[in-house]
Amino acid sequence: MHSIRKILLATAFACTAPAFAATASAEELKAEVLHWWTSGGESAAVKVFADGFTDAGGEWIDTAIAGGQNARTAGINRIVGGNPPTAMQFNTGKQFDELVANGFLRSVEDVAAANNWRDALPPAIVKATNRDGQFYAVPVNIHGQNWLWYNTDVFSKAGLQPPKTFQDMIAAGPKLRESGFIPLAHGGQNWQDHLLFDAIVVAEAGQEIFAKVYGEVDTDAAKSPEFLKAVETFAALRGMTDEGSPGRNWNDATALVITGKAAMQLMGDWAKGEFIAAGLTPDKEYGCTVMPGGYVMGGDVFVFPKIDDAAQKTAQEKLAGLMLSPETQIAFNLKKGSVPVRLDIDVSAMDACAQTGVQTLKDPNNQVASINYIASPDLVGATRDVITQFWSTPSMTPEEFVEKFVSAMDSAS
């Protein structure tokens, strides 16, 4: 994420969204919610929030902007420019730190305390949404980032068992290709490259190396044999994609698996929302596997800009309480593909993949904080550029990549 200062310089305080928040009257209970959920499964999920707010007597004003970076930039511009939405989406972690530091966001500690959020949420989620001991964001889900999704019919036709490790994936590649399928559906965008790379690091280098590299910016960890092994596996997966991969959106890659053109995809569990929207059932038409090493936790939060209007403050508090109510948590995550951020609710009504995810998370040793939880936006951006350069440059050796990766760590520290 660009700093607030850079965003303002780049846009010259341009605020093109409708000036809703500043004009809300005291009699209105309206909420303009800015987010980036635009795919089929995502749209169905955010409608759960919208319907819940409407049922509570409010009016939901939906401001959807495709692409997380685009949405965050637009939202920050509006907040700093004095025309904030009622609520705005971020990923769980450090992306909204500058807004808190500069006094642009309100605390929702009163709502959190009244609803015992600290007792219901995993400690890593509490830490990721608290600043100076107060909640400044409402976490709405836990997204497992290291799920493997596969088409069961494709593997059956190829005479193969679905893989459980990255080495299994590599071994299956040639037979899948010979059988006429794309072995690995991948969207060649930098964040997707990074997601795949991090899943491999957790699985093959281990949680400790992963945490040292991103959380401690430990260059010795990035120079370790374990990290190099993960890089070599990442390189081996390049040949399993297709020519249409560069620039492909994640949900278009998921569609290749859904339609049986591709065998599998490594993607966060938001991909499950696309399978659900297509009417498919886990353990039947498609399968899901948490890759080794732990459950890499991503997720989404909503923050609430400081607004003087009393009606807007009421709308913010109502939204915050609604989003973490047990009923909404189940309904929303059923559509979104993620699992409830609350680990104190009954998930028996959820699908087999979700129940696997929740069961995995019950063990604290499986709770792996993703890069957005532990790394600065500068470090995420710098390493992401190097990862994508390596993915797109087959001639670059793993050793050369490690050298560039370490330089990127140094530049961001």
Side-chain angles (χ1 to χ4, degrees):
M1 181 182 76
H2 297 296
S3 69
I4 292 173
R5 181 178 300 174
K6 287 180 180 178
I7 289 173
L8 290 175
L9 287 173
T11 62
F13 290 89
C15 295
T16 58
F20 157 73
T23 61
S25 71
E27 290 77 25
E28 295 173 324
L29 187 61
K30 294 184 178 180
E32 184 197 5
V33 182
L34 191 153
H35 62 88
W36 60 78
W37 287 329
T38 57
S39 76
E42 291 171 332
S43 297
V46 77
K47 190 175 183 296
V48 172
F49 290 150
D51 290 347
F53 190 70
T54 300
D55 291 343
E59 179 183 349
W60 176 284
I61 298 175
D62 198 80
T63 300
I65 300 173
Q69 182 65 64
N70 295 335
R72 288 191 295 271
T73 300
I76 292 169
N77 284 336
R78 289 186 56 188
I79 291 170
V80 178
N83 178 35
T86 312
M88 174 184 169
Q89 181 188 3
F90 280 92
N91 291 124
T92 310
K94 296 179 175 292
Q95 291 176 346
F96 54 90
D97 276 6
E98 289 189 351
L99 290 175
V100 175
N102 285 277
F104 289 112
L105 300 183
R106 66 173 292 191
S107 164
V108 289
E109 180 60 32
D110 289 347
V111 181
N115 293 280
N116 299 314
W117 289 0
R118 284 177 175 79
D119 296 332
L121 307 178
I125 303 289
V126 174
K127 181 177 180 180
T129 49
N130 269 242
R131 303 295 181 270
D132 298 323
Q134 296 192 48
F135 277 91
Y136 274 89
V138 177
V140 296
N141 56 11
I142 298 175
H143 269 307
Q145 295 187 351
N146 56 334
W147 283 89
L148 184 71
W149 309 94
Y150 57 89
N151 186 302
T152 55
D153 188 51
V154 166
F155 274 92
S156 177
K157 288 178 178 178
L160 294 168
Q161 292 296 314
K164 296 182 179 179
T165 68
F166 286 102
Q167 297 306 318
D168 289 347
M169 290 172 61
I170 293 169
K175 185 67 178 293
L176 289 166
R177 186 82 73 183
E178 291 171 7
S179 300
F181 304 107
I182 301 167
L184 179 65
H186 183 68
Q189 297 171 335
N190 61 5
W191 71 269
Q192 296 187 62
D193 300 338
H194 206 159
L195 198 78
L196 175 59
F197 177 76
D198 285 353
I200 297 169
V201 173
V202 169
E204 300 204 341
Q207 291 184 25
E208 184 177 357
I209 293 291
F210 180 81
K212 285 184 175 180
V213 168
Y214 290 115
E216 301 175 23
V217 199
D218 184 342
T219 55
D220 287 338
K223 297 174 183 176
S224 67
E226 294 86 355
F227 190 81
L228 180 62
K229 178 177 181 289
V231 175
E232 291 169 345
T233 297
F234 184 60
L237 290 174
R238 283 185 299 209
M240 296 178 61
T241 61
D242 65 305
E243 293 180 354
S245 177
R248 178 185 287 145
N249 291 325
W250 70 267
N251 51 310
D252 293 327
T254 307
L256 292 174
V257 180
I258 290 173
T259 57
K261 296 177 182 177
M264 52 189 161
Q265 178 189 22
L266 190 290
M267 183 51 57
D269 55 10
W270 50 89
K272 187 176 64 176
E274 302 303 298
F275 287 96
I276 293 170
L280 305 187
T281 304
D283 290 341
K284 290 183 65 178
E285 296 92 353
Y286 73 97
C288 55
T289 299
V290 179
M291 297 304 278
Y295 199 91
V296 183
M297 299 187 301
D300 303 282
V301 302
F302 283 87
V303 301
F304 301 90
K306 286 184 177 178
I307 299 174
D308 292 332
D309 186 87
Q312 282 293 278
K313 292 179 180 178
T314 300
Q316 289 176 332
E317 291 162 6
K318 190 171 287 292
L319 271 175
L322 168 74
M323 288 174 166
L324 266 187
S325 71
E327 298 79 13
T328 304
Q329 278 282 291
I330 292 292
F332 169 78
N333 286 290
L334 277 170
K335 298 290 186 182
K336 188 66 170 64
S338 45
V339 300
V341 71
R342 301 183 59 139
L343 297 182
D344 63 339
I345 56 180
D346 182 8
V347 297
S348 59
M350 301 189 76
D351 62 76
C353 297
Q355 292 189 46
T356 295
V358 170
Q359 190 60 40
T360 303
L361 285 167
K362 293 286 187 181
D363 182 353
N365 292 323
N366 289 328
Q367 297 176 11
V368 182
S370 71
I371 54 173
N372 288 326
Y373 285 35
I374 60 176
S376 71
D378 287 342
L379 180 60
V380 172
T383 54
R384 181 164 293 174
D385 289 343
V386 176
I387 289 167
T388 285
Q389 182 186 8
F390 179 63
W391 181 260
S392 305
T393 313
S395 61
M396 186 186 300
T397 68
E399 290 77 12
E400 290 171 334
F401 166 79
V402 169
E403 185 177 343
K404 289 178 179 291
F405 192 93
V406 169
S407 295
M409 293 172 69
D410 289 335
S411 70
S413 61

